[in-house]
Short mmCIF file of all heavy atoms in Angstrom, two decimals:
data_model
loop_
_atom_site.label_atom_id
_atom_site.label_comp_id
_atom_site.label_asym_id
_atom_site.label_seq_id
_atom_site.Cartn_x
_atom_site.Cartn_y
_atom_site.Cartn_z
N LEU A 1 -70.10 53.29 144.82
CA LEU A 1 -69.09 52.42 144.06
C LEU A 1 -68.59 51.42 145.07
O LEU A 1 -68.63 50.20 144.79
CB LEU A 1 -68.06 53.29 143.54
CG LEU A 1 -68.46 54.07 142.22
CD1 LEU A 1 -67.26 54.97 141.85
CD2 LEU A 1 -68.49 53.08 141.06
N GLN A 2 -67.99 51.80 146.15
CA GLN A 2 -67.41 50.90 147.02
C GLN A 2 -68.48 50.09 147.72
O GLN A 2 -68.28 48.79 147.99
CB GLN A 2 -66.63 51.69 148.12
CG GLN A 2 -65.73 50.83 149.10
CD GLN A 2 -65.01 51.61 150.16
OE1 GLN A 2 -65.34 52.82 150.27
NE2 GLN A 2 -64.04 50.95 150.73
N PHE A 3 -69.56 50.61 148.17
CA PHE A 3 -70.68 49.97 148.80
C PHE A 3 -71.24 48.81 148.03
O PHE A 3 -71.43 47.56 148.53
CB PHE A 3 -71.70 50.81 149.26
CG PHE A 3 -72.77 50.38 150.18
CD1 PHE A 3 -72.43 49.75 151.36
CD2 PHE A 3 -74.12 50.41 149.83
CE1 PHE A 3 -73.35 49.23 152.12
CE2 PHE A 3 -75.06 49.92 150.88
CZ PHE A 3 -74.65 49.26 152.02
N ALA A 4 -71.47 49.07 146.73
CA ALA A 4 -72.07 48.06 145.81
C ALA A 4 -70.94 46.86 145.53
O ALA A 4 -71.40 45.76 145.37
CB ALA A 4 -72.52 48.63 144.54
N LEU A 5 -69.70 47.21 145.60
CA LEU A 5 -68.68 46.18 145.33
C LEU A 5 -68.46 45.32 146.57
O LEU A 5 -68.54 44.03 146.42
CB LEU A 5 -67.37 46.80 144.89
CG LEU A 5 -66.20 45.99 144.66
CD1 LEU A 5 -66.56 45.16 143.47
CD2 LEU A 5 -64.93 46.69 144.34
N ASP A 6 -68.20 45.88 147.70
CA ASP A 6 -67.84 44.94 148.84
C ASP A 6 -68.55 45.43 150.11
O ASP A 6 -68.05 44.95 151.34
CB ASP A 6 -66.31 45.12 149.07
CG ASP A 6 -65.78 46.57 149.26
OD1 ASP A 6 -66.52 47.43 149.63
OD2 ASP A 6 -64.48 46.82 149.24
N GLY A 7 -69.57 46.23 149.98
CA GLY A 7 -70.36 46.56 151.36
C GLY A 7 -69.71 47.42 152.24
O GLY A 7 -70.12 47.44 153.41
N THR A 8 -68.80 48.29 151.72
CA THR A 8 -68.11 49.22 152.77
C THR A 8 -68.37 50.71 152.36
O THR A 8 -68.42 50.98 151.06
CB THR A 8 -66.60 48.86 152.92
OG1 THR A 8 -66.04 49.10 151.61
CG2 THR A 8 -66.33 47.51 153.34
N ILE A 9 -68.39 51.57 153.17
CA ILE A 9 -68.40 52.91 153.01
C ILE A 9 -67.55 53.58 154.18
O ILE A 9 -67.94 53.63 155.20
CB ILE A 9 -69.75 53.60 152.98
CG1 ILE A 9 -70.69 53.03 151.86
CG2 ILE A 9 -69.75 55.07 152.78
CD1 ILE A 9 -72.11 53.52 152.03
N GLY A 10 -66.37 53.94 153.77
CA GLY A 10 -65.43 54.51 154.77
C GLY A 10 -65.13 53.39 155.75
O GLY A 10 -64.64 52.29 155.34
N ASP A 11 -65.33 53.74 157.00
CA ASP A 11 -65.14 52.76 158.14
C ASP A 11 -66.10 51.69 158.33
O ASP A 11 -65.97 50.76 159.08
CB ASP A 11 -64.76 53.41 159.38
CG ASP A 11 -63.44 54.29 159.34
OD1 ASP A 11 -62.64 53.85 158.54
OD2 ASP A 11 -63.47 55.23 160.09
N TYR A 12 -67.39 51.97 157.63
CA TYR A 12 -68.53 51.08 157.80
C TYR A 12 -68.44 49.82 156.90
O TYR A 12 -67.93 49.98 155.78
CB TYR A 12 -69.79 51.81 157.53
CG TYR A 12 -70.87 50.99 157.33
CD1 TYR A 12 -71.68 50.49 158.43
CD2 TYR A 12 -71.39 50.55 156.01
CE1 TYR A 12 -72.74 49.63 158.24
CE2 TYR A 12 -72.46 49.59 155.93
CZ TYR A 12 -73.08 49.26 157.00
OH TYR A 12 -74.22 48.43 156.91
N ARG A 13 -68.76 48.63 157.42
CA ARG A 13 -68.82 47.47 156.62
C ARG A 13 -70.17 46.81 156.98
O ARG A 13 -70.55 46.51 158.16
CB ARG A 13 -67.67 46.58 156.99
CG ARG A 13 -67.88 45.23 156.07
CD ARG A 13 -66.75 44.25 156.39
NE ARG A 13 -65.51 44.81 155.72
CZ ARG A 13 -65.16 44.58 154.45
NH1 ARG A 13 -66.08 43.79 153.69
NH2 ARG A 13 -64.08 44.94 154.00
N LYS A 14 -71.01 46.54 156.06
CA LYS A 14 -72.22 45.90 156.18
C LYS A 14 -71.96 44.48 156.64
O LYS A 14 -70.96 43.86 156.28
CB LYS A 14 -73.13 45.90 154.90
CG LYS A 14 -72.74 44.97 153.92
CD LYS A 14 -73.71 44.86 152.82
CE LYS A 14 -73.26 43.92 151.70
NZ LYS A 14 -73.06 42.50 152.11
N PRO A 15 -72.87 43.85 157.48
CA PRO A 15 -72.80 42.46 157.86
C PRO A 15 -72.91 41.51 156.59
O PRO A 15 -73.61 41.98 155.58
CB PRO A 15 -73.99 42.15 158.77
CG PRO A 15 -74.28 43.65 159.25
CD PRO A 15 -73.97 44.56 158.19
N ASP A 16 -72.14 40.45 156.51
CA ASP A 16 -72.19 39.50 155.41
C ASP A 16 -73.70 39.03 155.14
O ASP A 16 -73.83 38.45 154.02
CB ASP A 16 -71.23 38.39 155.56
CG ASP A 16 -69.85 38.91 155.62
OD1 ASP A 16 -69.57 39.96 155.03
OD2 ASP A 16 -69.04 38.14 156.23
N THR A 17 -74.53 39.11 156.09
CA THR A 17 -75.92 38.53 155.88
C THR A 17 -76.80 39.67 155.19
O THR A 17 -78.00 39.30 155.05
CB THR A 17 -76.47 38.22 157.26
OG1 THR A 17 -76.22 39.31 158.19
CG2 THR A 17 -75.85 36.88 157.76
N TRP A 18 -76.28 40.80 154.96
CA TRP A 18 -77.09 41.80 154.16
C TRP A 18 -76.59 41.82 152.75
O TRP A 18 -75.48 41.65 152.36
CB TRP A 18 -76.91 43.15 154.76
CG TRP A 18 -77.74 43.33 156.01
CD1 TRP A 18 -77.53 42.92 157.25
CD2 TRP A 18 -79.10 44.01 156.06
NE1 TRP A 18 -78.49 43.33 158.11
CE2 TRP A 18 -79.49 43.88 157.37
CE3 TRP A 18 -79.85 44.60 155.18
CZ2 TRP A 18 -80.76 44.50 157.81
CZ3 TRP A 18 -81.13 45.10 155.41
CH2 TRP A 18 -81.47 45.00 156.77
N PHE A 19 -77.56 42.01 151.80
CA PHE A 19 -77.38 41.99 150.33
C PHE A 19 -77.82 43.30 149.75
O PHE A 19 -78.77 43.98 150.20
CB PHE A 19 -77.95 40.74 149.82
CG PHE A 19 -77.56 39.49 150.28
CD1 PHE A 19 -78.24 38.98 151.40
CD2 PHE A 19 -76.40 38.77 149.77
CE1 PHE A 19 -77.71 37.72 152.00
CE2 PHE A 19 -76.04 37.61 150.37
CZ PHE A 19 -76.63 37.20 151.54
N ILE A 20 -77.15 43.69 148.71
CA ILE A 20 -77.55 44.94 147.97
C ILE A 20 -78.28 44.65 146.60
O ILE A 20 -77.82 43.95 145.78
CB ILE A 20 -76.25 45.68 147.72
CG1 ILE A 20 -75.52 46.04 149.00
CG2 ILE A 20 -76.66 47.15 146.97
CD1 ILE A 20 -74.15 46.64 148.90
N VAL A 21 -79.38 45.33 146.47
CA VAL A 21 -80.08 45.29 145.25
C VAL A 21 -80.37 46.76 144.82
O VAL A 21 -80.75 47.62 145.73
CB VAL A 21 -81.38 44.49 145.36
CG1 VAL A 21 -82.17 44.52 143.99
CG2 VAL A 21 -81.08 43.04 145.76
N SER A 22 -80.27 47.07 143.58
CA SER A 22 -80.60 48.36 142.99
C SER A 22 -81.69 48.32 141.88
O SER A 22 -81.76 47.12 141.31
CB SER A 22 -79.48 49.11 142.59
OG SER A 22 -79.81 50.40 142.34
N ALA A 23 -82.26 49.37 141.57
CA ALA A 23 -83.23 49.30 140.43
C ALA A 23 -83.22 50.62 139.70
O ALA A 23 -83.00 51.61 140.40
CB ALA A 23 -84.66 49.10 140.92
N VAL A 24 -83.42 50.53 138.37
CA VAL A 24 -83.39 51.70 137.58
C VAL A 24 -84.59 51.70 136.56
O VAL A 24 -84.85 50.60 136.24
CB VAL A 24 -82.07 51.99 136.88
CG1 VAL A 24 -80.92 52.23 137.82
CG2 VAL A 24 -81.78 50.86 135.99
N ASN A 25 -85.13 53.01 136.21
CA ASN A 25 -85.99 53.08 135.09
C ASN A 25 -85.22 53.56 133.93
O ASN A 25 -84.85 54.78 133.89
CB ASN A 25 -87.16 54.03 135.45
CG ASN A 25 -87.96 53.51 136.62
OD1 ASN A 25 -88.14 52.36 136.83
ND2 ASN A 25 -88.40 54.43 137.48
N ASP A 26 -84.89 52.77 133.04
CA ASP A 26 -84.07 53.16 131.90
C ASP A 26 -84.88 54.20 130.91
O ASP A 26 -85.98 54.04 130.60
CB ASP A 26 -83.66 52.03 131.02
CG ASP A 26 -82.78 51.01 131.86
OD1 ASP A 26 -81.72 51.54 132.27
OD2 ASP A 26 -83.06 49.88 131.99
N ASP A 27 -84.09 55.25 130.53
CA ASP A 27 -84.73 56.17 129.53
C ASP A 27 -85.88 56.95 130.05
O ASP A 27 -86.75 57.48 129.22
CB ASP A 27 -84.99 55.42 128.20
CG ASP A 27 -83.81 54.70 127.58
OD1 ASP A 27 -82.68 55.28 127.62
OD2 ASP A 27 -84.06 53.72 127.00
N ASP A 28 -86.02 56.94 131.30
CA ASP A 28 -87.15 57.78 131.87
C ASP A 28 -86.70 59.22 132.09
O ASP A 28 -85.55 59.39 132.23
CB ASP A 28 -87.56 57.11 133.18
CG ASP A 28 -88.97 57.52 133.71
OD1 ASP A 28 -89.71 58.14 132.79
OD2 ASP A 28 -89.32 57.53 134.83
N ALA A 29 -87.65 60.14 132.13
CA ALA A 29 -87.29 61.62 132.32
C ALA A 29 -86.68 61.73 133.66
O ALA A 29 -87.13 61.09 134.71
CB ALA A 29 -88.57 62.44 132.16
N GLY A 30 -85.61 62.61 133.72
CA GLY A 30 -84.98 62.83 135.00
C GLY A 30 -83.90 61.96 135.43
O GLY A 30 -83.28 61.95 136.47
N THR A 31 -83.52 60.95 134.50
CA THR A 31 -82.53 59.92 134.91
C THR A 31 -81.21 60.30 134.23
O THR A 31 -81.25 61.16 133.18
CB THR A 31 -82.98 58.59 134.46
OG1 THR A 31 -83.06 58.46 133.07
CG2 THR A 31 -84.20 58.04 135.16
N SER A 32 -80.16 59.72 134.79
CA SER A 32 -78.90 60.00 134.17
C SER A 32 -78.06 58.65 133.87
O SER A 32 -78.44 57.63 134.56
CB SER A 32 -78.02 60.84 135.15
OG SER A 32 -78.57 62.03 135.43
N LYS A 33 -77.17 58.69 132.99
CA LYS A 33 -76.44 57.51 132.72
C LYS A 33 -75.54 57.10 133.80
O LYS A 33 -74.78 58.07 134.37
CB LYS A 33 -75.66 57.65 131.33
CG LYS A 33 -74.94 56.41 130.86
CD LYS A 33 -74.29 56.71 129.62
CE LYS A 33 -73.57 55.46 129.16
NZ LYS A 33 -72.92 55.51 127.82
N MET A 34 -75.46 55.94 134.18
CA MET A 34 -74.57 55.48 135.28
C MET A 34 -73.22 55.24 134.57
O MET A 34 -72.98 54.77 133.46
CB MET A 34 -75.07 54.20 135.95
CG MET A 34 -76.39 54.40 136.71
SD MET A 34 -77.23 52.86 137.20
CE MET A 34 -75.93 52.04 138.11
#
């Protein structure tokens, strides 16, 4: 949650030159609703 929003996890902060992308397979077996 926090990482995707502002790039932080606890005391860690990603450099501003790094970007976050995620991917999902909708309605596939073994998946859960986000």
Side-chain angles (χ1 to χ4, degrees):
L1 281 169
Q2 186 181 14
F3 190 50
L5 179 64
D6 58 16
T8 61
I9 301 178
D11 294 332
Y12 167 83
R13 176 180 289 276
K14 73 172 180 63
D16 292 338
T17 48
W18 280 81
F19 302 90
I20 299 170
V21 180
S22 187
V24 295
N25 300 325
D26 294 305
D27 301 323
D28 195 18
T31 62
S32 301
K33 185 178 180 180
M34 295 168 56

